[in-house]
Each structure stands twice: as structure tokens, then as C-alpha cells.
Amino acid sequence: MNLNQYTTKSQEAIQKAQQIALDFGHQSIEPQHLLEGILQVDENISAFLMKKSEADLNLIREKNRETLEKLPKVEGGNIYLSQSANKILLDAPNIAKKMGDEYVTIEHLWLSLLEVNSEVSKILKDFGVTKNSLEAAIKELRKGSKATSASSEETYQSLNKYAKNFNELAAE
């Protein structure tokens, strides 16, 4: 796995997953740690993707934390990637390539979390997240742009971050 292929946000999520595993006393980094890492370093993209997939992000986070609590705790030893977490991180660059992106973004990690058979993919599917809904949300989020730099996520919905849409406010 080449971390240089990952955007800054994705790298932060992976590092956060490692820290979460350490904090919980877990020996292996599992998909649940990756999901929690993504949720802790990214607020905008994840919230947008789950809203468009008609899934409740807070309930997903709660369920994921429940599964984190149930993982076995170990003292000492080296921390390592579990087989499923490793598969997620190995599949994400392939997803990026299929989408025409040069870097692995948070969206690719979400797709990989959904596609690789794990407790997290089960949680996401239980809350109604599908590959089609996630891909549609990503297309809407990106509006045709590609991940061509390590800071690609920063450009999504930049207008929404720094301005108010008066048409949407009036409609509400």
C-alpha cells in the first residue's frame, strides 16, 4: 500500500484509525477503526454521502462504536492491520482508478468499506446504504471533478462551506 496515493484527509483517517485501535487496547486495526477514523477527521463528505444515501450517520456511528467496544482488548504487542482492513485499503486505489482519480479519497474509502465483507459493511447495509446510492451521492458531491491532488476533498462543495444558498433558504 502506497500512502502517497492517498489524499491528506484519507491519510489522516488511517492514522486516526490506528490511534483509535491503540486507545481501545485493540491489537489489530479493523474496519470499525477505519470508519471511526473517517468520521473523526471528516465531517462534510461523510455527512453529505449518508444524507444522500438516506442513512442516519449518527445511528451508524453509534452502532459502529458498539462493535468497537466488543472487540477483544490486548496489552502489549504490535498493532497490525486485520485482513479485512487491509483488503479495504488495497481495494480503495482500485476503486479510485476505476473512477478516473489519481488519489484515494474519503469517498473511495466509503465505497471500499461498503464492498469488503466486514462488520462495517453489514452495518452500512442494515442502515440502507447501497453501492448505487453511494455512487450517486459521490457524483452529486463532486459535480464531475476528479481527485487530482492530495487536497482534492477540500474543493468539494466549497461554495456551501463559505456562502449561503438563498434559494435553498427561501424554499425552506
Side-chain angles (χ1 to χ4, degrees), residues 44 48 141 143 155-165 168:
N44 301 322
F48 182 87
L141 171 76
K143 295 180 170 59
T155 62
Y156 305 150
Q157 295 194 319
S158 54
L159 187 60
N160 290 350
K161 288 181 197 171
Y162 305 112
K164 291 185 179 181
N165 185 331
E168 279 182 16

Side-chain angles (χ1 to χ4, degrees), residues 113-143:
L113 280 167
L114 182 66
E115 290 180 8
V116 172
N117 189 23
S118 69
E119 189 66 31
V120 169
S121 67
K122 184 182 180 312
I123 291 169
L124 293 175
K125 289 171 185 170
D126 286 350
F127 283 99
V129 181
T130 64
K131 184 178 178 186
N132 288 341
S133 68
L134 205 48
E135 287 175 339
I138 291 168
K139 282 181 184 167
E140 187 176 335
L141 171 76
R142 290 181 165 198
K143 295 180 170 59

Side-chain angles (χ1 to χ4, degrees), residues 46-93:
S46 297
F48 182 87
L49 295 178
M50 291 304 101
K51 182 179 178 186
K52 292 296 177 179
S53 296
E54 297 180 7
D56 188 325
L57 185 60
N58 291 326
L59 289 177
I60 290 171
R61 175 177 253 156
E62 282 177 32
K63 185 69 175 166
N64 188 57
R65 285 190 178 156
E66 285 175 22
T67 64
L68 276 171
E69 294 287 342
K70 292 178 184 174
L71 291 173
K73 296 182 186 325
V74 177
E75 286 191 33
N78 294 328
I79 195 164
Y80 63 91
L81 276 173
S82 71
Q83 190 173 356
S84 52
N86 190 46
K87 184 158 177 42
I88 288 165
L89 296 179
L90 290 175
D91 283 356

